[in-house]
Amino acid sequence: MLAALARGRSEIRGALTSDDARSSARVLRLLGAEISALRAGIRIDVTAHGRLRVADRSLDCGNSGTTARLLLGMLAAHRFVSTLSGDRSLQKRPMRRVTDPLTAMGARVVRIRHDGLPLTIAGGRLHTLQWRLPVASAQIKSALLLAGAVAGVDVTLEQPAASRDHTERMLRYFGFDVRETALKVALRPGGRFVPFGIDVPGDPSSAIFLLAAAALASRGEIAVEGVSLNPSRIGFIAVMRRMNIPVASHDVGDEAGEPIGTLVAGASEIVATDIAAAEVPGVIDEIPMLACLAARARGTSRFAGLAELRVKESDRLALIASNLRAVGVDATVDGDDLIVEGTDVPPAGRAVTRGDHRIAMAFAVLGTLPGARIRIDDRTCAAVSFPGFDATLAGLFQRTAR
Protein backbone atom coordinates (compact mmCIF):
# COMPACT_ATOMS: atom_id res chain seq x y z
CA MET A 1 0.00 0.00 0.00
CA LEU A 2 2.78 2.44 0.85
CA ALA A 3 4.61 1.57 -2.38
CA ALA A 4 1.40 2.38 -4.27
CA LEU A 5 1.59 5.94 -2.85
CA ALA A 6 5.18 6.52 -4.04
CA ARG A 7 6.25 7.74 -7.48
CA GLY A 8 8.52 5.13 -9.05
CA ARG A 9 9.45 1.49 -8.49
CA SER A 10 9.72 -0.18 -5.08
CA GLU A 11 11.09 -3.66 -4.36
CA ILE A 12 9.51 -5.85 -1.66
CA ARG A 13 11.37 -9.02 -0.73
CA GLY A 14 10.04 -11.80 1.47
CA ALA A 15 6.42 -10.64 1.31
CA LEU A 16 3.65 -12.96 2.41
CA THR A 17 1.90 -14.32 -0.69
CA SER A 18 -1.33 -15.08 1.14
CA ASP A 19 -4.91 -14.60 -0.02
CA ASP A 20 -5.10 -11.36 2.01
CA ALA A 21 -1.95 -10.00 0.36
CA ARG A 22 -3.33 -10.92 -3.05
CA SER A 23 -6.53 -9.03 -2.21
CA SER A 24 -4.46 -5.92 -1.47
CA ALA A 25 -2.48 -6.31 -4.69
CA ARG A 26 -5.65 -6.83 -6.73
CA VAL A 27 -7.37 -3.64 -5.57
CA LEU A 28 -4.19 -1.56 -5.82
CA ARG A 29 -3.75 -2.64 -9.44
CA LEU A 30 -7.28 -1.37 -10.12
CA LEU A 31 -6.22 1.92 -8.50
CA GLY A 32 -3.33 2.40 -10.91
CA ALA A 33 -0.34 0.64 -9.35
CA GLU A 34 1.64 -1.88 -11.39
CA ILE A 35 2.35 -4.87 -9.14
CA SER A 36 4.17 -8.00 -10.25
CA ALA A 37 2.73 -11.43 -9.53
CA LEU A 38 2.80 -12.54 -5.90
CA ARG A 39 4.75 -15.79 -5.78
CA ALA A 40 6.50 -17.33 -2.78
CA GLY A 41 10.20 -16.51 -2.71
CA ILE A 42 9.98 -14.05 -5.61
CA ARG A 43 10.58 -10.30 -5.21
CA ILE A 44 7.51 -8.13 -5.71
CA ASP A 45 7.95 -4.97 -7.79
CA VAL A 46 5.50 -2.10 -7.35
CA THR A 47 5.56 0.80 -9.81
CA ALA A 48 3.24 3.68 -8.94
CA HIS A 49 2.49 7.30 -9.77
CA GLY A 50 2.51 9.09 -6.43
CA ARG A 51 -1.25 8.95 -5.99
CA LEU A 52 -4.02 6.43 -6.55
CA ARG A 53 -6.21 6.66 -9.65
CA VAL A 54 -9.95 6.11 -9.93
CA ALA A 55 -10.90 2.47 -10.51
CA ASP A 56 -13.31 1.40 -13.23
CA ARG A 57 -15.03 -1.20 -11.04
CA SER A 58 -15.77 -2.17 -7.45
CA LEU A 59 -12.75 -2.96 -5.26
CA ASP A 60 -13.10 -6.55 -4.04
CA CYS A 61 -11.18 -6.88 -0.76
CA GLY A 62 -11.85 -10.62 -0.47
CA ASN A 63 -11.64 -11.76 3.16
CA SER A 64 -9.17 -9.07 4.22
CA GLY A 65 -10.32 -6.61 6.87
CA THR A 66 -6.86 -5.02 6.81
CA THR A 67 -7.17 -4.36 3.08
CA ALA A 68 -10.62 -2.81 3.40
CA ARG A 69 -9.98 -0.61 6.43
CA LEU A 70 -6.53 0.69 5.47
CA LEU A 71 -7.70 1.29 1.92
CA LEU A 72 -10.60 3.39 3.22
CA GLY A 73 -8.08 5.68 4.90
CA MET A 74 -6.03 6.07 1.74
CA LEU A 75 -9.07 6.61 -0.48
CA ALA A 76 -10.50 9.27 1.85
CA ALA A 77 -7.67 11.59 0.79
CA HIS A 78 -8.26 11.09 -2.97
CA ARG A 79 -10.87 13.16 -4.78
CA PHE A 80 -12.82 10.42 -6.46
CA VAL A 81 -15.51 7.88 -5.63
CA SER A 82 -14.73 4.24 -4.87
CA THR A 83 -16.88 1.26 -3.94
CA LEU A 84 -15.48 -1.47 -1.71
CA SER A 85 -16.86 -4.98 -1.48
CA GLY A 86 -15.72 -8.29 -0.02
CA ASP A 87 -16.69 -11.88 0.61
CA ARG A 88 -19.60 -12.87 2.81
CA SER A 89 -17.46 -12.91 5.96
CA LEU A 90 -15.92 -9.48 5.34
CA GLN A 91 -19.33 -7.96 4.56
CA LYS A 92 -20.34 -8.67 8.17
CA ARG A 93 -17.34 -6.96 9.78
CA PRO A 94 -17.93 -3.46 11.23
CA MET A 95 -16.71 -0.55 9.10
CA ARG A 96 -18.46 2.42 10.73
CA ARG A 97 -15.70 2.57 13.36
CA VAL A 98 -13.46 3.63 10.42
CA THR A 99 -15.92 5.57 8.28
CA ASP A 100 -17.22 7.75 11.14
CA PRO A 101 -13.85 9.42 11.83
CA LEU A 102 -13.11 9.64 8.09
CA THR A 103 -16.44 11.43 7.67
CA ALA A 104 -15.40 13.80 10.47
CA MET A 105 -12.23 14.52 8.47
CA GLY A 106 -14.26 15.50 5.40
CA ALA A 107 -14.78 12.31 3.41
CA ARG A 108 -18.30 11.23 2.43
CA VAL A 109 -19.61 7.72 2.85
CA VAL A 110 -22.29 7.57 0.21
CA ARG A 111 -23.69 4.14 1.07
CA ILE A 112 -23.25 1.77 3.95
CA ARG A 113 -25.32 -1.31 4.72
CA HIS A 114 -25.52 -3.01 8.10
CA ASP A 115 -22.30 -1.27 9.20
CA GLY A 116 -20.34 -3.33 6.69
CA LEU A 117 -19.50 -3.77 3.03
CA PRO A 118 -20.29 -2.99 0.32
CA LEU A 119 -19.93 0.75 0.78
CA THR A 120 -19.02 3.73 -1.36
CA ILE A 121 -16.62 6.45 -0.21
CA ALA A 122 -16.10 9.83 -1.84
CA GLY A 123 -12.72 11.25 -0.90
CA GLY A 124 -11.83 14.89 -0.80
CA ARG A 125 -9.97 17.66 0.96
CA LEU A 126 -9.48 16.41 4.50
CA HIS A 127 -8.89 18.45 7.64
CA THR A 128 -7.35 17.88 11.05
CA LEU A 129 -8.75 15.08 13.18
CA GLN A 130 -8.84 14.51 16.91
CA TRP A 131 -10.57 11.22 17.71
CA ARG A 132 -11.05 8.76 20.55
CA LEU A 133 -10.99 5.21 19.19
CA PRO A 134 -13.88 3.04 20.46
CA VAL A 135 -11.62 -0.03 20.65
CA ALA A 136 -7.89 -0.68 20.59
CA SER A 137 -7.48 -1.52 16.90
CA ALA A 138 -4.38 -1.19 14.75
CA GLN A 139 -6.57 -1.34 11.64
CA ILE A 140 -8.66 1.69 12.65
CA LYS A 141 -5.61 3.58 13.87
CA SER A 142 -3.66 2.83 10.68
CA ALA A 143 -6.53 3.87 8.42
CA LEU A 144 -6.73 7.28 10.10
CA LEU A 145 -2.97 7.79 10.17
CA LEU A 146 -2.75 6.93 6.46
CA ALA A 147 -5.58 9.38 5.71
CA GLY A 148 -3.67 12.13 7.51
CA ALA A 149 -0.34 11.23 5.88
CA VAL A 150 -1.77 11.22 2.34
CA ALA A 151 -3.83 14.38 2.92
CA GLY A 152 -1.04 16.21 4.75
CA VAL A 153 -3.09 17.03 7.87
CA ASP A 154 -2.62 16.49 11.60
CA VAL A 155 -4.20 13.43 13.21
CA THR A 156 -4.35 12.89 16.97
CA LEU A 157 -5.81 9.65 18.28
CA GLU A 158 -6.57 8.41 21.76
CA GLN A 159 -6.95 4.66 22.18
CA PRO A 160 -8.25 2.65 25.15
CA ALA A 161 -5.16 0.40 25.06
CA ALA A 162 -1.98 0.08 23.04
CA SER A 163 -2.18 -1.82 19.73
CA ARG A 164 0.34 -2.97 17.14
CA ASP A 165 2.40 -0.15 15.68
CA HIS A 166 3.71 -1.29 12.28
CA THR A 167 2.14 1.71 10.52
CA GLU A 168 3.66 4.22 12.94
CA ARG A 169 7.11 2.71 12.38
CA MET A 170 6.76 2.73 8.60
CA LEU A 171 5.49 6.32 8.55
CA ARG A 172 8.51 7.40 10.60
CA TYR A 173 10.67 5.54 8.07
CA PHE A 174 9.23 7.88 5.41
CA GLY A 175 9.97 10.98 7.50
CA PHE A 176 6.59 11.62 9.08
CA ASP A 177 6.54 12.98 12.62
CA VAL A 178 4.65 10.29 14.55
CA ARG A 179 4.70 10.60 18.34
CA GLU A 180 3.32 8.16 20.89
CA THR A 181 2.70 9.17 24.49
CA ALA A 182 0.85 6.84 26.84
CA LEU A 183 -2.32 5.99 24.92
CA LYS A 184 -2.13 8.82 22.38
CA VAL A 185 -0.72 8.79 18.86
CA ALA A 186 -0.13 12.03 16.95
CA LEU A 187 0.88 12.44 13.31
CA ARG A 188 2.16 15.69 11.84
CA PRO A 189 2.59 16.13 8.07
CA GLY A 190 5.99 16.53 6.51
CA GLY A 191 7.00 13.08 5.34
CA ARG A 192 7.00 11.86 1.76
CA PHE A 193 6.31 8.50 0.21
CA VAL A 194 9.26 7.60 -2.00
CA PRO A 195 10.26 4.34 -3.73
CA PHE A 196 12.03 1.92 -1.40
CA GLY A 197 13.41 -1.58 -1.03
CA ILE A 198 12.55 -3.74 1.97
CA ASP A 199 12.90 -7.26 3.33
CA VAL A 200 9.64 -8.09 5.09
CA PRO A 201 10.06 -9.84 8.47
CA GLY A 202 8.14 -13.01 9.24
CA ASP A 203 4.72 -12.69 10.89
CA PRO A 204 4.68 -13.49 14.64
CA SER A 205 0.99 -14.42 14.35
CA SER A 206 1.98 -17.22 11.98
CA ALA A 207 5.09 -18.19 13.94
CA ILE A 208 3.03 -19.00 17.04
CA PHE A 209 1.50 -22.05 15.35
CA LEU A 210 4.95 -23.57 14.81
CA LEU A 211 6.09 -22.66 18.32
CA ALA A 212 2.92 -24.17 19.78
CA ALA A 213 3.40 -27.38 17.79
CA ALA A 214 6.85 -27.70 19.34
CA ALA A 215 5.46 -27.06 22.83
CA LEU A 216 2.84 -29.81 22.39
CA ALA A 217 5.32 -32.32 20.99
CA SER A 218 6.84 -35.06 23.13
CA ARG A 219 10.39 -33.98 22.30
CA GLY A 220 12.49 -31.58 20.23
CA GLU A 221 12.44 -27.85 19.63
CA ILE A 222 11.99 -25.44 16.76
CA ALA A 223 13.73 -22.21 15.80
CA VAL A 224 11.76 -19.78 13.61
CA GLU A 225 14.12 -17.31 11.96
CA GLY A 226 13.59 -13.86 10.50
CA VAL A 227 10.50 -13.04 12.58
CA SER A 228 9.40 -9.53 13.52
CA LEU A 229 10.13 -8.98 17.20
CA ASN A 230 8.10 -5.77 17.31
CA PRO A 231 7.13 -5.39 21.01
CA SER A 232 3.52 -4.67 20.03
CA ARG A 233 3.30 -8.06 18.30
CA ILE A 234 4.95 -10.53 20.65
CA GLY A 235 2.79 -10.28 23.77
CA PHE A 236 2.03 -13.98 23.30
CA ILE A 237 5.60 -14.80 24.33
CA ALA A 238 4.96 -13.58 27.87
CA VAL A 239 1.73 -15.62 27.97
CA MET A 240 3.47 -18.76 26.73
CA ARG A 241 6.23 -18.32 29.29
CA ARG A 242 3.60 -18.10 32.04
CA MET A 243 2.31 -21.40 30.70
CA ASN A 244 5.74 -22.92 31.34
CA ILE A 245 6.66 -22.85 27.64
CA PRO A 246 10.21 -21.45 27.52
CA VAL A 247 10.14 -19.29 24.39
CA ALA A 248 13.52 -17.71 23.71
CA SER A 249 13.96 -14.67 21.46
CA HIS A 250 17.18 -13.53 19.84
CA ASP A 251 17.23 -10.06 18.26
CA VAL A 252 19.51 -10.07 15.24
CA GLY A 253 18.69 -6.95 13.23
CA ASP A 254 16.34 -4.20 12.11
CA GLU A 255 14.37 -3.48 8.94
CA ALA A 256 12.65 -0.12 8.44
CA GLY A 257 12.28 0.29 12.20
CA GLU A 258 11.13 -3.31 12.78
CA PRO A 259 13.35 -5.46 15.05
CA ILE A 260 13.94 -8.91 13.55
CA GLY A 261 15.17 -12.09 15.16
CA THR A 262 14.70 -15.77 15.95
CA LEU A 263 12.13 -17.41 18.21
CA VAL A 264 12.81 -20.81 19.79
CA ALA A 265 10.43 -23.14 21.67
CA GLY A 266 10.41 -26.79 22.66
CA ALA A 267 8.40 -29.57 24.27
CA SER A 268 6.87 -28.43 27.57
CA GLU A 269 4.68 -29.41 30.50
CA ILE A 270 2.03 -26.73 30.06
CA VAL A 271 0.33 -25.03 33.02
CA ALA A 272 -2.77 -22.85 33.09
CA THR A 273 -2.66 -19.07 33.09
CA ASP A 274 -4.97 -16.06 32.97
CA ILE A 275 -4.94 -13.36 30.31
CA ALA A 276 -6.08 -9.94 31.53
CA ALA A 277 -8.28 -7.73 29.34
CA ALA A 278 -5.44 -5.18 29.09
CA GLU A 279 -3.24 -7.84 27.43
CA VAL A 280 -5.76 -8.80 24.75
CA PRO A 281 -4.98 -6.11 22.11
CA GLY A 282 -1.39 -7.38 22.04
CA VAL A 283 -2.39 -11.02 21.56
CA ILE A 284 -5.70 -10.69 19.72
CA ASP A 285 -4.71 -12.85 16.74
CA GLU A 286 -2.99 -15.45 18.89
CA ILE A 287 -5.98 -16.19 21.18
CA PRO A 288 -7.17 -19.27 19.20
CA MET A 289 -3.78 -20.96 19.51
CA LEU A 290 -3.31 -19.90 23.13
CA ALA A 291 -6.74 -21.33 23.94
CA CYS A 292 -5.77 -24.64 22.36
CA LEU A 293 -2.58 -24.65 24.44
CA ALA A 294 -4.71 -23.97 27.53
CA ALA A 295 -6.70 -27.08 26.62
CA ARG A 296 -3.57 -29.12 27.37
CA ALA A 297 -2.54 -27.19 30.49
CA ARG A 298 -2.64 -28.33 34.08
CA GLY A 299 -5.46 -26.29 35.64
CA THR A 300 -8.04 -23.75 34.49
CA SER A 301 -7.23 -20.76 32.29
CA ARG A 302 -9.37 -17.62 31.97
CA PHE A 303 -8.99 -15.21 29.03
CA ALA A 304 -10.74 -11.93 29.89
CA GLY A 305 -12.20 -9.18 27.71
CA LEU A 306 -12.49 -10.95 24.34
CA ALA A 307 -15.40 -8.93 22.93
CA GLU A 308 -13.37 -7.95 19.85
CA LEU A 309 -13.13 -11.62 18.85
CA ARG A 310 -16.85 -11.56 18.11
CA VAL A 311 -16.27 -9.34 15.04
CA LYS A 312 -13.36 -11.15 13.41
CA GLU A 313 -13.66 -13.47 10.38
CA SER A 314 -16.15 -15.36 12.55
CA ASP A 315 -17.52 -15.00 16.06
CA ARG A 316 -14.16 -16.34 17.15
CA LEU A 317 -14.99 -16.35 20.83
CA ALA A 318 -18.03 -18.62 20.43
CA LEU A 319 -16.29 -20.75 17.82
CA ILE A 320 -13.21 -21.41 19.94
CA ALA A 321 -15.37 -22.55 22.86
CA SER A 322 -17.71 -24.72 20.78
CA ASN A 323 -14.83 -26.39 18.95
CA LEU A 324 -12.95 -27.10 22.16
CA ARG A 325 -16.08 -28.75 23.55
CA ALA A 326 -16.49 -30.69 20.31
CA VAL A 327 -13.05 -32.26 20.75
CA GLY A 328 -13.58 -33.10 24.42
CA VAL A 329 -12.35 -30.02 26.30
CA ASP A 330 -14.38 -28.23 28.97
CA ALA A 331 -14.65 -24.67 27.63
CA THR A 332 -17.24 -22.00 28.42
CA VAL A 333 -17.94 -18.37 27.58
CA ASP A 334 -18.77 -16.11 30.52
CA GLY A 335 -19.77 -12.72 29.14
CA ASP A 336 -16.71 -11.74 27.09
CA ASP A 337 -14.40 -14.16 28.93
CA LEU A 338 -13.26 -17.61 27.81
CA ILE A 339 -12.67 -20.28 30.45
CA VAL A 340 -10.73 -23.42 29.48
CA GLU A 341 -10.22 -26.44 31.72
CA GLY A 342 -7.07 -28.30 30.72
CA THR A 343 -7.11 -32.05 30.13
CA ASP A 344 -4.64 -34.77 29.17
CA VAL A 345 -7.27 -36.82 27.31
CA PRO A 346 -6.38 -36.94 23.58
CA PRO A 347 -8.68 -34.54 21.70
CA ALA A 348 -11.14 -36.10 19.28
CA GLY A 349 -14.02 -34.68 17.27
CA ARG A 350 -14.90 -32.30 14.46
CA ALA A 351 -13.79 -28.67 14.41
CA VAL A 352 -15.85 -26.18 12.39
CA THR A 353 -13.89 -23.23 10.97
CA ARG A 354 -16.59 -21.11 9.27
CA GLY A 355 -13.78 -20.10 6.92
CA ASP A 356 -11.66 -18.67 9.77
CA HIS A 357 -7.99 -19.31 9.02
CA ARG A 358 -6.77 -18.97 12.61
CA ILE A 359 -9.36 -21.44 13.90
CA ALA A 360 -8.30 -23.95 11.25
CA MET A 361 -4.61 -23.64 12.09
CA ALA A 362 -5.03 -23.69 15.88
CA PHE A 363 -7.05 -26.92 15.81
CA ALA A 364 -4.71 -28.45 13.24
CA VAL A 365 -1.85 -27.88 15.70
CA LEU A 366 -3.91 -29.34 18.55
CA GLY A 367 -4.50 -32.33 16.27
CA THR A 368 -0.78 -33.13 16.17
CA LEU A 369 -0.94 -34.54 19.72
CA PRO A 370 -0.33 -38.29 20.00
CA GLY A 371 -3.68 -40.08 19.90
CA ALA A 372 -5.57 -37.00 18.67
CA ARG A 373 -8.36 -37.50 16.13
CA ILE A 374 -9.48 -33.99 15.12
CA ARG A 375 -11.33 -33.55 11.84
CA ILE A 376 -11.34 -29.98 10.46
CA ASP A 377 -14.10 -29.08 8.02
CA ASP A 378 -12.01 -26.61 5.98
CA ARG A 379 -8.23 -26.60 6.17
CA THR A 380 -7.82 -24.64 2.92
CA CYS A 381 -8.85 -21.34 4.57
CA ALA A 382 -5.41 -21.27 6.25
CA ALA A 383 -4.13 -19.83 2.95
CA VAL A 384 -5.69 -16.49 3.92
CA SER A 385 -2.61 -15.80 6.07
CA PHE A 386 -0.32 -18.88 5.88
CA PRO A 387 0.00 -20.47 2.42
CA GLY A 388 1.43 -23.97 2.65
CA PHE A 389 0.56 -24.28 6.33
CA ASP A 390 -0.35 -28.00 6.21
CA ALA A 391 2.88 -28.91 4.44
CA THR A 392 4.93 -26.81 6.86
CA LEU A 393 3.27 -28.39 9.90
CA ALA A 394 3.68 -31.92 8.54
CA GLY A 395 7.32 -31.18 7.72
CA LEU A 396 8.09 -30.39 11.36
CA PHE A 397 7.13 -33.89 12.44
CA GLN A 398 8.81 -35.59 9.50
CA ARG A 399 12.08 -33.98 10.55
CA THR A 400 11.48 -35.03 14.16
CA ALA A 401 10.88 -38.64 13.06
CA ARG A 402 14.15 -38.71 11.18
Side-chain angles (χ1 to χ4, degrees), residues 12-17 164 166 198-211 223-234 236-237 252-255 258-263 286 358 385-387:
I12 304 172
R13 297 171 292 274
L16 180 66
T17 55
R164 58 188 62 178
H166 297 299
I198 192 171
D199 292 288
V200 181
D203 184 357
S205 295
S206 293
I208 189 176
F209 297 108
L210 310 181
L211 300 169
V224 187
E225 300 177 340
V227 182
S228 170
L229 298 184
N230 182 318
S232 71
R233 292 298 307 283
I234 55 175
F236 69 87
I237 293 179
V252 297
D254 182 279
E255 183 71 30
E258 291 280 341
I260 303 171
T262 298
L263 294 174
E286 293 78 43
R358 300 196 194 280
S385 63
F386 197 149

Side-chain angles (χ1 to χ4, degrees), residues 68-153:
R69 289 173 175 146
L70 270 61
L71 191 62
L72 282 169
M74 295 165 60
L75 290 171
H78 288 77
R79 298 186 184 185
F80 53 75
V81 176
S82 304
T83 298
L84 279 68
S85 63
D87 69 9
R88 184 177 300 179
S89 170
L90 184 58
Q91 288 179 23
K92 297 177 181 177
R93 299 182 68 178
M95 293 293 159
R96 189 163 282 122
R97 52 179 59 177
V98 177
T99 58
D100 281 353
L102 291 177
T103 299
M105 291 182 77
R108 289 189 300 119
V109 176
V110 178
R111 179 170 61 86
I112 189 166
R113 185 183 66 188
H114 305 310
D115 189 23
L117 299 182
L119 65 80
T120 298
I121 184 169
R125 187 178 183 87
L126 303 186
H127 48 75
T128 298
L129 175 72
Q130 292 188 356
W131 196 262
R132 183 190 296 270
L133 301 184
V135 294
S137 167
Q139 291 182 0
I140 304 173
K141 178 177 62 174
S142 295
L144 303 179
L145 292 174
L146 286 173
V150 177
V153 299

Side-chain angles (χ1 to χ4, degrees), residues 162 275-287 303-309:
I275 294 180
E279 292 181 271
V280 169
V283 297
I284 190 69
D285 286 338
E286 293 78 43
I287 292 292
F303 300 177
L306 301 182
E308 194 63 15
L309 285 187

